[in-house]
Amino acid sequence: MMLESAADSFESDFYEMPLENDIIDPLPMICAISIFQASVSMGLIAARFHNSLVRMSLRLAGKSARKARLAHGGNFRGSVAEYEVDES
């Protein structure tokens, strides 16, 4: 909750999380957070973290052969975000 409330709503950048063989590798994101935590505001780190989760959710939904609908509420910066992905 504290991370969500700290997120800068104007930040659109994200941390890379490679996806290979349906396995998410969060290490690059964790490394980036640990490197930049001293020089970047908590609001930017929080926003980039949440943006990364949304981006990964969309990538995973896009791997599906059928239409997928993701509705995020109560997290991802406390807002409701709906995405439709059609890979058919």
Side-chain angles (χ1 to χ4, degrees):
M1 287 287 212
M2 290 177 59
L3 191 61
E4 289 175 311
S5 64
D8 180 342
S9 61
F10 296 105
E11 179 62 31
S12 61
D13 205 0
F14 58 91
Y15 299 113
E16 288 292 334
M17 286 193 296
L19 177 65
E20 189 172 328
N21 298 322
D22 293 333
I23 298 174
I24 301 168
D25 181 7
L27 189 59
M29 178 180 65
I30 294 167
C31 289
I33 291 170
S34 66
I35 290 169
F36 295 117
Q37 70 180 351
S39 60
V40 176
S41 75
M42 178 60 81
L44 289 181
I45 290 172
R48 291 174 184 171
F49 172 79
H50 285 90
N51 292 344
S52 301
L53 296 180
V54 169
R55 183 178 170 89
M56 182 54 68
S57 296
L58 290 173
R59 285 182 67 193
L60 292 171
K63 291 180 69 66
S64 173
R66 65 185 191 287
K67 191 172 194 175
R69 184 171 187 183
L70 304 174
H72 303 284
N75 57 19
F76 299 115
R77 292 189 283 184
S79 62
V80 175
E82 292 185 2
Y83 303 93
E84 288 192 18
V85 179
D86 189 357
E87 291 292 321
S88 54

